[in-house]
Each structure stands twice: as structure tokens, then as C-alpha cells.
Amino acid sequence: MSTPARRADAVRNRDLALDAAMALLAEPGTSLTVGAIAERAGLGAGTVVRAFGGKDALLDAAVARLLRPVVQRARDLIADTTPHQALRTFLRELIAFQAAHHAMNDQLTGLDLPLTTALRADLVGAVEEMIEGARRDGHVRTDLDLAAASALIIATAPAIARTDPGLTDAYLTVLLDGLSAPNSSTP
């Protein structure tokens, strides 16, 4: 009878640790140590480690929890609108997400994050699908190959996210204008 209670505690502790890690990922300059995560969660460091097996697994789970809805949003936009509009809308939303969570990129370098790596690949795939569709529709230039156009977006979006939020629209306009096909008339 005590096993189900421990299991419920383990699930609760795991969720508390994930919530704490996700909150810390949204705070620039915050240290993402097991100790900091445990303190934010109101747990002991040992409890956090037991729940995940280590910091890498914990951060991987937290970032994956943050990225899943972003990837799903990209897929929904692809299904629900034109590729060009999906790209425009998604880039704005991606930049807002990155602005709110830019500590992720700063703190995750060199960690083993298989879930995050897979979701980032899905995200790149969705962006490439948007670009390809917008190219077919005549809205995105074809003189840049898909890898170059995707790399420009993937590298530029986080940089825009770190700038003055008042300049986001201007940067996004310049990026999208630079990707636009010469004879495209759609804004």
C-alpha cells in the first residue's frame, strides 16, 4: 500500500522539478544547477536527481516540455494556412518564445539532450516545410537553397529575440523581405 503513495510522491516531485526548471529557463542569467532547481521546487537535490537520473535528463525533459507546443503550433499553422502566412506567423511566435526563454540556448550547450535534439529537428523540418511551400507559391526566393534559407532563419530568430522588443517588427520585416521572391506581392 505504501508503494502507490511513493509513486504519487515521485510523480509530484518530478512535476515540481520540471516546473522549477522551466521557470528558471525563462529567467536570464539564472544558474541551472540541480541545487537551484531543487530550491525553486522546494525539494532536496537528491530527490531531483532520483527523479531524473541527473541534470542533463532533467533539463532535457523541461526543454522538451517547452518545445512540444511550439512544434505543434508550427504543424498546426502548416495545416491551417498558406505556407507563406504560416512562416510569417510562426516566425513572430518563435521569436516571442525565444525572447521569453533565451536562457535555454545559453545554458544547454554541451549537454546530452536527446529529446530536445529531436524536437529541434522537428522544428527545423516544419520551418523548412513552410519555406518550401512558400517557395512553390512564389513568395520566397528560390536562388537560396533550402538549407541556406533555413539556416538564416534559425540563426537570425534567436538574435532578434535578444534585441529591443520594440525593434522585433522591423527585424522581422527585413528578414522576411530578404527571403521574399523578387516579384512577390504578398506582404
Side-chain angles (χ1 to χ4, degrees):
M1 194 171 225
S2 65
T3 303
R6 278 191 222 142
R7 181 65 188 146
D9 282 352
V11 170
R12 180 185 63 83
N13 291 343
R14 183 178 172 84
D15 286 342
L16 287 171
L18 276 173
D19 290 344
M22 290 168 59
L24 289 171
L25 283 166
E27 295 178 11
T30 301
S31 178
L32 287 172
T33 64
V34 170
I37 294 166
E39 182 178 332
R40 173 67 66 98
L43 301 170
T47 301
V48 171
V49 170
R50 272 191 306 282
F52 291 92
K55 177 183 171 182
D56 287 11
L58 167 59
L59 292 178
D60 194 22
V63 173
R65 188 182 270 187
L66 289 168
L67 283 179
R68 275 188 197 98
V70 175
V71 173
Q72 186 57 53
R73 175 65 174 151
R75 293 288 171 208
D76 291 346
L77 285 167
I78 290 168
D80 296 340
T81 188
T82 67
H84 183 249
Q85 189 57 47
L87 182 62
R88 294 181 70 80
T89 301
F90 184 69
L91 284 179
R92 180 172 306 287
E93 292 175 10
L94 179 63
I95 289 166
F97 172 81
Q98 290 174 328
H101 297 95
H102 64 76
M104 282 193 319
N105 290 333
D106 298 340
Q107 305 252 354
L108 301 180
T109 304
L111 301 180
D112 180 27
L113 307 170
L115 296 172
T116 300
T117 300
L119 284 165
R120 282 181 174 168
D122 289 347
L123 193 59
V124 169
V127 169
E128 288 179 347
E129 189 174 336
M130 291 174 197
I131 294 167
E132 272 297 312
R135 286 171 69 168
R136 279 192 307 276
D137 293 346
H139 295 291
V140 170
R141 60 192 314 143
T142 57
D143 59 331
L144 290 174
D145 67 15
L146 179 60
S150 177
L152 285 170
I153 289 170
I154 299 303
T156 305
I160 294 171
R162 290 176 180 267
T163 64
D164 176 354
L167 295 175
T168 298
D169 287 337
Y171 281 119
L172 191 55
T173 297
V174 169
L175 173 62
L176 291 171
D177 284 354
L179 291 172
S180 292
N183 297 323
S184 177
S185 61
T186 302

